Amino acid sequence: MIETRAGDQQLEGIANPPNATMRWVICVDPTPGEVDELAAAFDIHPLAVEDIQTRNQRPKVDEYEDRRQIFVVLFAAVRGGDGQHVTLREVHVLVGPDYVVTVTDADVPVIGDLATLCGRRDDILAKGPGKLFYRLSDAVVDSYFPVLDDMDAVIDDLETSIIERADQSTVREIFDVKRELNVMRRVLGPQRDLLQGLAGPHGPLLGGEGQLYLRDVYDHAVRIVEQVDSYRDIVTSALDVYLSSVSNRLGEQTRRLSVMATIFLPLTFFTGFFGQNFGFLVNGIQSREAFALGLSAELVSVACIWYAVRRATIGARPLPADRDRRRPVLTVGLPRRRRPASSSATAAPHRGEKKQQTV
């Protein structure tokens, strides 16, 4: 699909309205013949044509000074219809003196929303290609914020499940989230550096005003990369916590089994000792006193083992938390209230200053 936007007009194909100061050509999944038509209409450099045809590029910017063109590759986050899957769509942008061409392999909602906005506001395309490229890059970068919000909720659920009861599905979900974050990081890192170069003196074709606005887009890209890095650290820590919890549960089960084995060890010893087929042992346990003595020895051994295990368990427990101590709350600093002029003159002196006495 190819359409042309010029002001508030929407035209089919590659159109060139006579009264349009600038046009925006939107291409969605173009055929090889349509790519050749674009290359002939805008005199696109052969290297840029090859990038458009091959796809699977990394975020980059190529400047062709002889043709006064800038070719930029960006990636937008597109959420699926079910809201569970996120796809990174490759967006190719060609910026010329009086035109902008975008080529995608599928529909990108943020580009469609911007095209709809251009139909209601003709001033967007009237401010030149630099301003339109700013809006395109801003929409592409901001498409990651809803995805990161969903990722934040998923990580919170993971931490809750790890604390309550973790299983194999939790580990699988941890690795899935970590894999998605790694993919986003490989894309967002070069894209951040790309926007930094365009916001500087690299893109003279975008104009001074366009470069000024691109600095705000670069700030958003930096925030997104930092958020992805923090999420990666949190997921890695969550995996460590899961492994520690599994080790703690294994140690707890081993401790319980050891206690049971230790309790039954003296009982087994006494039973085996007095159950031997020796005349002295068999004939020696005929009175009630002998039976009570053996039973008392077993009870004393069990009590001693229980006391030793309890002392060891209490010694291994962490220190009890202080219920009266409250956790400090972190808040964003508010502007300091200024004292009135009348009270500031009579305020107490600072440390190290002597209070002046009036006669």
Side-chain angles (χ1 to χ4, degrees):
M1 184 272 292
I2 299 180
E3 68 177 17
T4 301
R5 292 276 180 173
D8 56 353
Q9 300 178 2
Q10 179 180 356
L11 307 172
E12 295 183 359
I14 304 175
N16 189 10
N19 298 327
T21 58
M22 199 198 74
R23 50 181 172 158
W24 176 18
V25 180
I26 305 172
C27 306
V28 179
D29 193 16
T31 61
E34 293 174 340
V35 173
D36 295 337
E37 185 179 356
L38 284 173
F42 296 99
D43 191 21
I44 303 177
H45 196 276
L47 293 177
V49 175
E50 182 180 357
D51 291 338
I52 294 175
Q53 292 176 342
T54 56
R55 294 287 171 164
N56 196 19
Q57 303 291 325
R58 67 186 299 273
K60 66 174 185 177
V61 54
D62 294 330
E63 185 176 356
Y64 306 103
E65 297 181 358
D66 55 342
R67 308 191 184 194
R68 301 183 62 192
Q69 294 177 348
I70 295 180
F71 181 75
V72 184
V73 179
L74 300 173
F75 280 85
V78 179
R79 303 174 65 180
D82 54 356
Q84 300 294 330
H85 298 85
V86 178
T87 306
L88 300 183
R89 296 292 184 187
E90 192 171 345
V91 180
H92 294 178
V93 184
L94 181 70
V95 182
D98 57 351
Y99 59 85
V100 173
V101 180
T102 57
V103 183
T104 57
D105 56 353
D107 290 329
V108 178
V110 293
I111 296 180
D113 296 341
L114 182 59
T116 303
L117 183 62
C118 290
R120 297 196 300 264
R121 295 177 51 186
D122 55 354
D123 61 316
I124 296 178
L125 298 179
K127 294 184 178 180
K131 196 64 175 295
L132 178 59
F133 178 76
Y134 150 71
R135 287 187 172 271
L136 279 170
S137 58
D138 184 56
V140 167
V141 171
D142 289 349
S143 64
Y144 289 91
F145 283 112
V147 177
L148 293 179
D149 292 340
D150 295 341
M151 194 73 68
D152 190 6
V154 170
I155 293 175
D156 289 341
D157 295 340
L158 281 177
E159 293 176 341
T160 303
S161 62
I162 289 174
I163 294 174
E164 293 178 352
R165 189 67 178 177
D167 51 9
Q168 294 295 331
S169 61
T170 305
V171 182
R172 190 180 304 108
E173 191 171 358
I174 288 175
F175 280 106
D176 290 341
V177 172
K178 192 172 183 180
R179 188 182 304 109
E180 293 175 1
L181 290 174
N182 289 333
V183 171
M184 294 178 62
R185 185 60 177 82
R186 286 198 299 267
V187 171
L188 293 174
Q191 188 163 286
R192 174 199 57 188
D193 300 337
L194 177 151
L195 293 171
Q196 183 182 15
L198 291 176
H202 180 73
L205 291 179
L206 301 177
E209 185 179 4
Q211 290 179 334
L212 179 62
Y213 281 100
L214 282 175
R215 296 175 187 174
D216 180 68
V217 182
Y218 169 70
D219 178 66
H220 291 183
V222 171
R223 288 172 51 195
I224 291 175
V225 172
E226 291 177 351
Q227 196 168 355
V228 170
D229 290 339
S230 65
Y231 286 165
R232 292 172 63 191
D233 296 338
I234 292 174
V235 172
T236 303
S237 301
L239 181 60
D240 296 338
V241 170
Y242 167 77
L243 297 177
S244 300
S245 64
V246 171
S247 178
N248 292 337
R249 288 202 302 268
L250 180 60
E252 182 66 21
Q253 296 295 335
T254 305
R255 187 184 67 83
R256 293 177 181 177
L257 293 176
S258 301
V259 169
M260 295 298 297
T262 307
I263 291 175
F264 281 98
L265 179 61
L267 303 179
T268 306
F269 170 75
F270 279 107
T271 303
F273 180 78
F274 287 101
Q276 300 180 82
N277 292 326
F278 292 99
F280 171 77
L281 296 175
V282 175
N283 298 328
I285 313 177
Q286 294 181 353
S287 61
R288 296 181 178 179
E289 291 77 6
F291 180 78
L293 180 62
L295 186 61
S296 300
E298 293 183 2
L299 293 177
V300 169
S301 64
V302 171
C304 293
I305 293 173
W306 176 83
Y307 178 77
V309 171
R310 180 173 176 81
R311 293 288 300 178
T313 305
I314 293 177
R317 289 177 182 175
L319 295 177
D322 189 1
R323 298 295 182 181
D324 297 334
R325 183 182 303 173
R326 300 189 60 183
R327 180 178 60 86
V329 180
L330 179 63
T331 57
V332 179
L334 299 177
R336 181 179 298 177
R337 295 183 178 179
R338 296 180 177 271
R339 294 182 177 180
S342 58
S343 61
S344 60
T346 60
H350 294 283
R351 183 182 301 175
E353 296 181 357
K354 296 183 179 179
K355 188 174 181 181
Q356 297 180 357
Q357 298 180 358
T358 58
V359 179

